[in-house]
Amino acid sequence: MTLEPSERKSLERLRRQIRREHDAGVARGASAPTADGGSPTVVVGGRPARGLARRVLSVAGVVVLAIVAPSFVLIRTTTFLYLHVDTGTWGSLALAAAATFLLLAGYAAVANRRLRGRFHVSRFLLRGLALLVGVYCLYGLLYLSGTHAKDDAVRAEYRSLHPHLRLALGTLVLLDGDLLVTDAARRVDDYAAMGLPANERSLHLRQVDGYVHAADLRTNGRSWLRNTATVVYFRTLGFRTLRHVGTADHLHVSYPVESGTGAK
């Protein structure tokens, strides 16, 4: 079949356009040389690979923060209200749990917006979030595994600790599988058995609110980094820490109140 001159020109233009688009596609997947003639930067889909790496790290950081933030809000709000607002032990915890629920509901709303309404923030979802906060609180308040208690006696004393301290310990257990509680509740005559002078103002004794306000954690056999991170964790949440030697080197964690106070 013989083509007219105008048809041949149109066909040639089409071939050149296809060739240019093909060459451009190859260039996008190729290495892009640097301006100074140094080693090229790998380009993926038109973007430098290091830019993609930064994006991945940024997303990972946001995900970690989103996971950690609810626990921090729960415990820090609880201790702040207890220490600075007259809301009591359980009132502080209830208000902090409500704040944590609102944070999670906010997460759901943002996710729904980013996904352009692909899922609905329903009452069922909100009830599930409320249940999640409640179960998390109950776990921290009621349970300490034997691997995180020095012995059965310490584990039995766990529920005598102040609820807010239990919640902080229960959360730390999830982050530090090597955590060990070595002491909690004491009686005055326990000091004589340990070869120590009696300390009637110790926060290890039951306070007027019925709870023990201090716990001891193992430091021996743990790295400096882990022990330092534990101190930062508790201080950030509003607790007092003291590294000292009684019967052995340990970290003393307590509510920053005087003995006999805290009757909430």
Side-chain angles (χ1 to χ4, degrees):
M1 181 178 65
T2 304
L3 299 175
E4 295 293 333
S6 61
E7 294 175 335
R8 285 197 297 270
K9 290 181 179 180
S10 298
L11 181 60
E12 185 61 30
R13 283 197 300 270
L14 180 60
R15 287 174 177 170
R16 288 197 298 268
Q17 183 179 354
I18 293 174
R19 191 178 299 114
R20 284 195 300 269
E21 291 177 355
H22 176 268
D23 293 341
V26 171
R28 282 196 298 269
S31 298
T34 59
D36 59 359
S39 59
T41 301
V42 178
V43 177
V44 180
R47 293 183 179 180
R50 56 188 170 187
L52 179 61
R54 285 196 297 267
R55 183 174 178 82
V56 170
L57 291 175
S58 177
V59 171
V62 170
V63 170
V64 171
L65 180 62
I67 294 174
V68 172
S71 297
F72 175 81
V73 169
L74 175 64
I75 304 172
R76 189 64 187 97
T77 303
T78 300
T79 58
F80 176 83
L81 292 174
Y82 181 78
L83 292 172
H84 304 289
V85 184
D86 190 18
T87 51
T89 296
W90 298 107
S92 300
L93 182 55
L95 290 172
T100 306
F101 165 76
L102 291 176
L103 176 64
L104 294 176
Y107 282 175
V110 170
N112 184 48
R113 183 175 180 180
R114 293 296 296 271
L115 295 174
R116 298 181 180 180
R118 293 180 184 176
F119 75 93
H120 182 58
V121 183
S122 63
R123 290 184 180 181
F124 178 78
L125 176 61
L126 295 178
R127 289 172 182 171
L129 294 176
L131 179 62
L132 176 64
V133 174
V135 170
Y136 186 87
C137 290
L138 288 176
Y139 157 77
L141 293 173
L142 301 178
Y143 181 73
L144 180 70
S145 72
T147 58
H148 298 292
K150 180 181 178 181
D151 50 39
D152 291 339
V154 172
R155 189 182 182 194
E157 296 168 357
Y158 182 68
R159 294 189 187 182
S160 68
L161 289 174
H162 193 282
H164 304 168
L165 183 53
R166 275 182 272 161
L167 192 60
L169 286 170
T171 298
L172 184 56
V173 163
L174 299 176
L175 303 173
D176 185 356
D178 192 43
L179 182 75
L180 188 70
V181 181
T182 59
D183 200 3
R186 296 176 186 167
R187 297 186 301 271
V188 175
D189 54 5
D190 288 336
Y191 286 91
M194 293 186 292
L196 297 173
N199 182 5
E200 296 184 357
R201 298 189 60 81
S202 171
L203 292 175
H204 283 288
L205 304 177
R206 286 187 183 271
Q207 304 300 300
V208 293
D209 60 2
Y211 296 113
V212 173
H213 285 208
D216 291 342
L217 308 180
R218 184 184 66 181
T219 53
N220 289 332
R222 289 166 58 85
S223 67
W224 173 88
L225 181 60
R226 276 195 170 188
N227 286 329
T228 301
T230 302
V231 170
V232 172
Y233 169 82
F234 281 107
R235 289 187 178 179
T236 301
L237 292 177
F239 294 95
R240 176 190 295 156
T241 64
L242 178 63
R243 179 81 175 267
H244 68 110
V245 177
T247 54
D249 185 14
H250 62 274
L251 181 67
H252 177 84
V253 181
S254 65
Y255 241 138
V257 295
E258 297 299 323
S259 175
T261 64
K264 303 287 186 178

